Amino acid sequence: MNNINVHNDEGIDNLRKENEQLKLEIEYLTHELTASKESRARESDKSDIRFKRLFNHLTDAVYYFKIYDDGSAGNFIEVNETACQRLGYSREEMLALSPKDIDGLEAEEIKPIIDDVYDNDSTTFETVHVRKDGGRIPVEIKTHRFVVEGEMYLLSVCRDITERKNSEREIREAKEQFENIVESSTNGITILQDGKWVFANKAALTLFDAKTKEELLGRSIYDMLHPEFHMECKEIVKKGGIHPRLYRVWTTLRGKEVHTEVVSIPTTFQGKDANELIIQDITEQKKSDSMMIQAEKMNVVGQLAAGIAHEIRNPLTALKGFVQLFRSGTIPNEMFLNIMEAELERIDVISSEFLTLAQPANTDFNTVDMRDLVSNVIDLLDTEAFKKSISFVVENNVKETDVNGISSQLKQVFINLIKNAIEVMQNEGTITITFKNHEGFILISVHDEGVGMSEEQLKRLGEPFFTTKQNGTGLGLMVTYRIINQHNGEVNVESKVNAGTTFTVKLPLIAKVD
């Protein structure tokens, strides 16, 4: 009996201990579950806070709303602060609106957009939103479609594209303005690519006698450009860079010859390298200049006539004397014959140069050796220089002297310059003529030891009828400047009072082909 009671007491104690242990474990689990639940709640609250902060600080407006089966949109379910600020509504006011209340497009304009949104998970489009105060904002919207428990919802992210639209408008207006300027220009404006015309304005079409752009575009320029300019044109395209005031002769689509000045500028067209050509028609100016050059040439010929007649009379007198000796019975000998031959050659050189001046001007560009040309001019003017005890010094150590030009016109230039140098000098002195090569050009300087010119006189050089000579017309230098300009060259002048003057003519050498 006692043993049974003892055993019962032990069982009750064990059961009590087990109950206590189970109670402790339940309390621990409850505590852990509670702690876990609280932790998850805290993390969830933190996530919600972070999400709301991010949602409301996006620079793009965000709208969330439901889409019904008929394609219509319900009121906004959620919007961020950017959406409210942009449109000028409070959050409560926004949640009472739907997309159709803020969209500025007409119904027929918005319908295809809605159909696209309804049929695609994601769509991007542009529209206009209307502010509460009536202001309109161009926007770009990217939509994302969601299906929740069988119902469709839309999240729209909306970006203000006012600046982009303003930039696009400015670019469009600038382009239209540029096109208007190009099309209204009196100069031909073209684009050359791979040796073909790819763009031409109205003036260019008129210049080349093209009735439509199709007649000109796609055609090789070498079909129209005078052959003498082909090599130089290819060289310019190859080297690139800006090339101003290029003289070019063309044959139009109707066979008419046109003289032009061209500016070549490197550019791009449809993503490829090209050359923009600005072409000025100088055909009429060319005729006028030609008449002026010819008139000035005749003026020079008239002034030289007396000197040349005197120069020819001297050898003729010698020849006449020898003839009289021979008639009187004097037997011709080697010395007499050599003198007579030298005098005849002198007459031949002078008369040939004089005839060259009197010939009609040749307008074709050919290879001209400037060394020979200047030498011939010196021979022609040597008599005038000799009368005033003026000598010539020629410094010529250059290798390249060939230019592309009109020989008679270039000869007239150096007759003008050297004759002027002789006239401005008193008795005795030296005229120095120097040749130099520099970066594809030949520079020919004519330096005199005359009285020189002031700064004010230098500024007026080349003006019609301005001259520093007592009986001058001023046309000689004007013609000189025009001729060199037409040969794509330059004339530079340096002068000091009582220290002489230097005229330097700069002409492009003929490009050497590798």
Side-chain angles (χ1 to χ4, degrees):
M1 184 73 175
N2 290 333
N3 288 336
I4 292 173
N5 289 334
V6 169
H7 288 302
N8 287 339
D9 290 339
E10 288 178 355
I12 290 169
D13 288 339
N14 289 334
L15 183 61
R16 187 180 295 114
K17 289 178 180 179
E18 288 177 0
N19 286 336
E20 289 294 332
Q21 183 65 31
L22 182 60
K23 182 179 179 181
L24 289 173
E25 289 178 356
I26 290 172
E27 288 178 353
Y28 175 76
L29 288 174
T30 301
H31 178 269
E32 287 299 313
L33 286 171
T34 302
S36 176
K37 184 176 180 181
E38 290 175 352
S39 175
R40 286 198 302 273
R42 286 194 301 271
E43 288 300 320
S44 178
D45 289 343
K46 289 180 181 178
S47 295
D48 286 345
I49 292 170
R50 284 196 297 269
F51 173 76
K52 288 180 179 179
R53 185 177 298 154
L54 176 64
F55 183 72
N56 285 310
H57 283 80
L58 286 173
T59 56
D60 293 331
V62 182
Y63 306 90
Y64 184 60
F65 53 92
K66 183 177 180 180
I67 296 290
Y68 295 101
D69 293 338
D70 61 0
S72 62
N75 286 356
F76 296 121
I77 298 171
E78 188 57 83
V79 295
N80 67 351
E81 290 181 6
T82 301
C84 298
Q85 293 171 1
R86 181 178 296 170
L87 298 182
Y89 292 101
S90 66
R91 183 172 183 277
E92 290 71 21
E93 289 174 325
M94 285 295 298
L95 296 181
L97 302 175
S98 71
K100 65 181 179 60
D101 296 319
I102 64 171
D103 201 292
L105 295 182
E106 300 294 333
E108 59 272 15
E109 295 176 297
I110 198 67
K111 187 178 186 307
I113 296 176
I114 293 176
D115 293 340
D116 193 34
V117 168
Y118 192 82
D119 295 336
N120 296 282
D121 290 336
S122 181
T123 303
T124 301
F125 60 92
E126 292 183 6
T127 184
V128 176
H129 279 175
V130 182
R131 289 173 46 83
K132 183 178 181 180
D133 61 10
R136 298 169 71 86
I137 304 172
V139 293
E140 180 184 76
I141 297 178
K142 187 173 183 63
T143 63
H144 301 274
R145 190 181 63 170
F146 302 95
V147 177
V148 180
E149 297 180 356
E151 295 185 322
M152 188 182 301
Y153 294 86
L154 209 68
L155 180 71
S156 294
V157 180
C158 172
R159 176 160 294 176
D160 185 345
I161 57 172
T162 301
E163 289 187 7
R164 185 209 299 176
K165 287 296 181 181
N166 289 340
S167 297
E168 288 175 356
R169 187 183 66 256
E170 289 174 1
I171 292 171
R172 185 171 59 253
E173 290 174 352
K175 183 180 178 183
E176 290 174 357
Q177 186 178 18
F178 174 75
E179 289 175 351
N180 289 335
I181 292 172
V182 168
E183 288 301 329
S184 62
S185 173
T186 56
N187 291 330
I189 299 177
T190 63
I191 294 179
L192 170 65
Q193 193 173 69
D194 298 329
K196 296 180 179 179
W197 303 113
V198 292
F199 172 83
N201 69 346
K202 292 177 182 177
L205 297 180
T206 302
L207 178 66
F208 293 120
D209 286 335
K211 295 180 180 178
T212 63
K213 288 190 176 184
E214 289 70 24
E215 275 192 286
L216 187 64
L217 301 188
R219 182 184 290 267
S220 171
I221 71 158
Y222 299 107
D223 293 342
M224 307 170 67
L225 182 63
H226 197 285
E228 69 187 70
F229 301 108
H230 286 192
M231 186 70 70
E232 186 183 3
C233 183
K234 290 175 181 177
E235 192 69 19
I236 286 172
V237 171
K238 179 181 176 182
K239 290 183 178 179
I242 298 176
H243 298 271
R245 303 184 70 83
L246 301 171
Y247 175 70
R248 294 288 182 267
V249 180
W250 311 82
T251 301
T252 70
L253 297 178
R254 309 294 176 234
K256 185 175 70 175
E257 186 175 83
V258 178
H259 297 258
T260 65
E261 279 188 353
V262 178
V263 176
S264 176
I265 304 170
T267 186
T268 56
F269 185 77
Q270 296 180 347
K272 294 177 62 179
D273 290 340
N275 287 81
E276 180 182 347
L277 304 183
I278 303 173
I279 309 172
Q280 182 181 7
D281 185 353
I282 60 169
T283 305
E284 292 304 317
Q285 178 187 330
K286 183 76 174 175
K287 293 178 182 177
S288 175
D289 288 348
S290 179
M291 292 174 64
M292 180 177 294
I293 289 169
Q294 190 65 18
E296 176 61 19
K297 180 189 291 186
M298 291 302 101
N299 181 47
V300 171
V301 168
Q303 293 178 24
L304 291 176
I308 290 173
H310 182 271
E311 179 68 10
I312 292 176
R313 187 181 293 115
N314 287 337
L316 284 175
T317 301
L319 290 170
K320 185 177 178 181
F322 282 118
V323 170
Q324 289 174 349
L325 283 174
F326 299 152
R327 280 179 176 173
S328 67
T330 303
I331 300 173
N333 59 39
E334 189 69 24
M335 183 183 70
F336 289 165
L337 293 176
N338 287 340
I339 293 173
M340 293 176 68
E341 185 179 18
E343 295 296 333
L344 287 170
E345 287 179 357
R346 177 66 177 163
I347 292 171
D348 183 58
V349 168
I350 294 172
S351 60
S352 295
E353 289 302 319
F354 191 67
L355 287 173
T356 300
L357 283 176
Q359 289 174 353
N362 179 7
T363 58
D364 291 335
F365 276 63
N366 296 293
T367 300
V368 179
D369 186 332
M370 295 305 299
R371 188 192 339 252
D372 290 345
L373 184 143
V374 173
S375 177
N376 292 338
V377 172
I378 291 173
D379 287 340
L380 189 63
L381 297 174
D382 190 49
T383 301
E384 288 199 29
F386 180 76
K387 289 177 185 177
K388 299 179 70 172
S389 300
I390 295 171
S391 60
F392 291 103
V393 173
V394 179
E395 298 175 358
N396 184 4
N397 298 316
V398 297
K399 294 181 178 179
E400 299 181 59
T401 58
D402 288 347
V403 303
N404 189 36
I406 301 172
S407 178
S408 61
Q409 291 187 5
L410 291 175
K411 187 171 293 184
Q412 184 173 350
V413 165
F414 285 95
I415 287 175
N416 288 342
L417 295 181
I418 296 174
K419 189 171 179 295
N420 284 348
I422 294 170
E423 292 175 351
V424 298
M425 290 174 62
Q426 303 299 325
N427 291 335
E428 297 187 357
T430 301
I431 294 174
T432 305
I433 300 171
T434 307
F435 291 75
K436 291 182 181 179
N437 287 150
H438 180 68
E439 296 181 351
F441 289 86
I442 185 168
L443 283 69
I444 306 171
S445 299
V446 178
H447 174 73
D448 64 58
E449 296 176 350
V451 296
M453 289 180 284
S454 66
E455 288 291 332
E456 188 62 33
Q457 288 173 322
L458 282 174
K459 290 177 182 178
R460 297 192 61 191
L461 281 182
E463 292 182 13
F465 308 110
F466 173 75
T467 180
T468 59
K469 295 183 294 185
Q470 185 175 359
N471 298 317
T473 64
L475 295 177
L477 274 182
M478 185 179 74
V479 168
T480 293
Y481 282 9
R482 290 203 179 184
I483 290 174
I484 296 303
N485 182 266
Q486 290 170 1
H487 283 73
N488 300 319
E490 298 175 5
V491 178
N492 296 309
V493 188
E494 295 179 357
S495 185
K496 289 184 179 180
V497 176
N498 298 321
T501 301
T502 302
F503 281 84
T504 301
V505 174
K506 179 180 179 183
L507 291 168
L509 291 161
I510 292 178
K512 301 295 183 182
V513 181
D514 298 331

